[in-house]
Amino acid sequence: MQIISLNEIQFKNYSRIHSKRNYFQTVEFANVEKINGYNALYVGMIDDNNNLVAASLILNKKIFSKYIYGNIPGGHLIDYDNYDLLNTYTNLLKKYLYKLNYVYIFINPLVPIKSTDKNNNILYENKNIINNINKTGYKKSQMLGITNSINLNTNGNIKQIFNNFSRFVKRNIKENKLMGIKITKSEDNGISEFYSLIRKKTKYDIKYYENYFNNFNSNYNLFEIYFANLNPHIYLENCNNILTKERKKNAKLTEKVLDLNVKSKNYYINKKLHSDRLIEKYSKELQKAIKLNNIYKKDFVVATVAIIKNVDEIYFFVEGYEEEFRDIRAIHSITWDIIKKYSKLGYKKFNLGYTPQNKDKFKGIYFSKLGFNANIIEYPGNHFLVINNKIFNFLNMIENKIK
């Protein structure tokens, strides 16, 4: 076994077929990170038959003088269950990187170690991976890293996929359709309108997303933007129809309540009270629709979602909406449209997003995504490996912020 340097084409070919592939371990992501001052190093390990058995994209930055540190986003492309392979790769990589003046490296492997459903039932667990990572010399880092994501695996049956969604999600999707919500994919750049909808929830500027759009543009790794457009005329028309139908239903229920010969009076009274509440709700909705129809003469955007297509998996990258229309929950409709579109094309893996560190603050988003019948996937988290102990200890002594 030996470590070798890989060129971009060699790494692309390997990263596209590896079972641990993810969009972080790609040439496209390396190009994106250039704007943040990172340089890319592609390395791999070959066996005695010159077969590539592991590889890594290492993003590196200078610390001081000739010394640098490395970050391996998404983790090595390697079988983490195979301790001998991981240990050999780690030891050879340490020697290789030491000669290149690396002091330490970070890894954040996107390798599932546990999967639970929305009710916290364990579906899968693999403690062997964490044990192997620890035994090969990596130490848990205090720095934030990706620890969980919400994933949906589909079977391609569109009707069944939809039926498995929560009642809340299904209701929102159906109501959005009645409101005239239409989903479109940005055929041109579309970054400006997209960014206007997400700017309040991101720490990045528009150039960051332009960078993704420009670099993730191949058949294997593609950045796409979707919009939810509201048609004010259809919205008004549908609100009128729904309210009219409910008023007719309410009138019949009133007749039942007033009819002295009707049995099960309480049943009709409860139905009538429920219908009264719906009429009040639909009346407010109608007033909103009239107002919007007077202001807007054509479709307008209320929400957006950006995704990254990585070989056979769809990653939901970022989402946003117009604050005024947040109650529409158009994100649900965009998400369903993307799942439906790519399920028909044979895609079965959908990463609905990495869960935030502060789940209490974002619990609405968290549980909303679980409503798509998705599971929570747990990852090992951020780990670091010391390459040069002498320089590492010196840096840790004066800064105490590497770990």
Side-chain angles (χ1 to χ4, degrees), residues 29-71:
F29 187 75
N31 291 333
V32 164
E33 286 299 300
K34 284 180 182 177
I35 198 173
N36 294 321
Y38 283 99
N39 296 308
L41 172 68
Y42 303 100
V43 297
M45 183 170 72
I46 55 174
D47 61 17
D48 296 336
N49 297 315
N50 284 327
N51 294 315
L52 200 56
V53 293
S56 307
L57 156 63
I58 306 175
L59 299 174
N60 57 77
K61 257 186 183 180
K62 185 175 286 189
I63 304 172
F64 76 96
S65 183
K66 64 181 181 178
Y67 297 106
I68 58 179
Y69 77 92
N71 180 30

Side-chain angles (χ1 to χ4, degrees), residues 380-394:
N382 227 351
H383 287 72
F384 70 94
L385 180 72
V386 178
I387 306 298
N388 186 322
N389 279 288
K390 183 178 178 181
I391 301 300
F392 179 84
N393 291 332
F394 170 72

Side-chain angles (χ1 to χ4, degrees), residues 111-139:
V111 183
I113 58 172
K114 189 177 180 181
S115 173
T116 55
D117 63 18
K118 60 185 177 183
N119 298 316
N120 215 30
N121 297 311
I122 297 176
L123 306 174
Y124 164 84
E125 190 168 20
N126 187 339
K127 296 179 180 179
N128 188 49
I129 290 174
I130 283 287
N131 291 335
N132 287 347
I133 290 173
N134 292 334
K135 283 196 299 182
T136 49
Y138 293 92
K139 299 185 183 300

Side-chain angles (χ1 to χ4, degrees), residues 4 34 40 63 92 167 185 308 319 355 373:
I4 60 169
K34 284 180 182 177
I63 304 172
L92 290 177
R167 290 174 61 188
K185 184 171 81 73
I308 291 178
E319 61 190 45
T355 61
N373 193 39

Side-chain angles (χ1 to χ4, degrees), residues 19-250:
S19 62
K20 305 299 184 294
R21 59 183 171 267
N22 58 80
Y23 79 82
F24 295 103
Q25 280 291 299
T26 62
V27 172
E28 288 83 355
F29 187 75
N31 291 333
V32 164
E33 286 299 300
K34 284 180 182 177
I35 198 173
N36 294 321
Y38 283 99
N39 296 308
L41 172 68
Y42 303 100
V43 297
M45 183 170 72
I46 55 174
D47 61 17
D48 296 336
N49 297 315
N50 284 327
N51 294 315
L52 200 56
V53 293
S56 307
L57 156 63
I58 306 175
L59 299 174
N60 57 77
K61 257 186 183 180
K62 185 175 286 189
I63 304 172
F64 76 96
S65 183
K66 64 181 181 178
Y67 297 106
I68 58 179
Y69 77 92
N71 180 30
I72 303 171
H76 306 299
L77 299 178
I78 194 171
D79 180 3
Y80 288 87
D81 266 312
N82 188 331
Y83 170 74
D84 290 335
L85 184 67
L86 181 62
N87 190 49
T88 300
Y89 186 54
T90 301
N91 289 327
L92 290 177
L93 190 60
K94 282 179 68 174
K95 294 176 183 177
Y96 185 87
L97 296 179
Y98 183 89
K99 294 177 182 178
L100 297 178
N101 299 314
Y102 278 74
V103 179
Y104 59 92
I105 57 173
F106 284 109
I107 65 168
N108 194 337
L110 294 183
V111 183
I113 58 172
K114 189 177 180 181
S115 173
T116 55
D117 63 18
K118 60 185 177 183
N119 298 316
N120 215 30
N121 297 311
I122 297 176
L123 306 174
Y124 164 84
E125 190 168 20
N126 187 339
K127 296 179 180 179
N128 188 49
I129 290 174
I130 283 287
N131 291 335
N132 287 347
I133 290 173
N134 292 334
K135 283 196 299 182
T136 49
Y138 293 92
K139 299 185 183 300
K140 185 72 174 176
S141 172
Q142 296 172 2
M143 294 182 70
L144 296 179
I146 297 171
T147 56
N148 291 278
S149 70
I150 299 177
N151 285 40
L152 169 66
N153 290 324
T154 68
N155 59 5
N157 185 316
I158 304 302
K159 186 176 181 180
Q160 187 177 335
I161 294 169
F162 184 80
N163 287 339
N164 287 336
F165 294 165
S166 70
R167 290 174 61 188
F168 176 70
V169 169
K170 285 189 287 191
R171 184 177 70 244
N172 285 328
I173 293 170
K174 290 176 181 177
E175 287 182 356
N176 287 346
K177 190 174 181 180
L178 289 172
M179 291 173 66
I181 294 290
K182 183 180 178 182
I183 311 304
T184 59
K185 184 171 81 73
S186 176
E187 296 300 337
D188 52 11
N189 193 300
I191 289 289
S192 296
E193 190 162 26
F194 159 76
Y195 188 73
S196 70
L197 293 168
I198 68 164
R199 68 181 187 280
K200 290 183 179 179
K201 62 177 293 184
T202 181
K203 63 180 180 180
Y204 302 109
D205 62 17
I206 192 170
K207 289 183 180 178
Y208 176 81
Y209 297 98
E210 287 175 341
N211 211 9
Y212 269 94
F213 188 89
N214 293 330
N215 284 289
F216 280 80
N217 59 7
S218 71
N219 290 330
Y220 293 99
N221 292 291
L222 185 65
F223 185 83
E224 293 183 333
I225 296 172
Y226 290 82
F227 294 110
N229 303 273
L230 191 151
N231 185 306
H233 179 68
I234 294 176
Y235 182 23
L236 176 59
E237 199 174 71
N238 286 336
C239 283
N240 250 324
N241 292 337
I242 293 170
L243 183 57
T244 300
K245 286 180 182 178
E246 193 59 42
R247 280 174 174 164
K248 288 180 179 178
K249 180 181 176 182
N250 191 275

